[in-house]
Amino acid sequence: MRKQIAAANWKMNLTYQQAEKLIDDLLALPHQLNDNQQAIFAVPFPYLQMVANRLAGKQNVFVAAQNCSNKKSGAYTGETSLEILQSIGVNHVVIGHSERREYFNENNQLLAEKVDICLSNNATPIFCCGEPLSVREANEQDAFVAKQLQESLYHLSAEDIQKVVIAYEPIWAIGTGKTATSQQAQDIQAFIRKQIATQYNDAVANNISILYGGSVKASNAKEIFSQADVDGGLVGGASLIAEEFNTIINSLK
Ligand code: PGA
């Protein structure tokens, strides 16, 4: 049974003290996650341990890194390996966010390697995909996203691909305040699921959580999450405000 997930992506925001306050404020607010639901916090590397400590013992709540190296270990100055992350209890990693693709030249091949490193160590990759505005305007988003999935995920076994969380994030909706309509999100996420069903089978496709990301906020989360193929959201800006993100958690199906 696939999970419904509210994932916060703090990006490169907040000082340590602000981060402590945000997580404490959030945890003090009322939310209930059943076993079908999860909240995940993708936070800057220096805050992972602090957030992990705050979340210890809580059910269905996890800390995530925003990136990891495609290398196992060694002389890669400035990189952080999955092994390093796991040694402080981090078992979820956002892979291939559009900002990493755009500003740090991460391509589908490199992301396939990062997905592999996660899965071979039993960590959960939250794999991001999504098209830029020019592609949406040409109505070529389906083919664009299909290629991202093909090149980064379809080498996986049927068993392994079910361990990936997919986040569909149209780049034109990230941080712009311009949300895809819930119908646009549903259409392409149904397409993604159908592609996976064709590549693998229906049972595999139905077992994979597909999140929507791009200007999700408290006021639109319920409507977006109500769509059949939207299993929650990856949330940037609105995850920096405790009440906003708590409402988003409480909007999960
Ligand atoms: P946003 O960011 O919610 O601020 O649009 C989403 C994301 O980049 O994951």
Side-chain angles (χ1 to χ4, degrees), residues 140-191:
E140 285 166 358
Q141 62 275 5
D142 287 3
F144 186 92
V145 170
K147 187 168 188 288
Q148 291 180 319
L149 300 176
Q150 166 84 46
E151 295 184 357
S152 296
L153 297 185
Y154 289 168
H155 63 286
L156 299 173
S157 68
E159 191 189 341
D160 275 351
I161 197 168
Q162 294 177 65
K163 299 173 188 160
V164 177
V165 172
I166 295 176
Y168 166 70
E169 299 203 302
I171 296 170
W172 46 271
I174 295 177
T176 58
K178 203 167 157 187
T179 321
T181 64
S182 54
Q183 191 60 51
Q184 282 174 320
Q186 167 57 23
D187 286 350
I188 192 157
Q189 298 196 189
F191 168 79

Side-chain angles (χ1 to χ4, degrees), residues 9 11 97 99 169 173-176 213-216 234-238:
N9 178 10
K11 307 192 182 186
H97 189 280
E99 289 150 16
E169 299 203 302
I174 295 177
T176 58
S215 298
V216 173
L234 180 58
V235 185

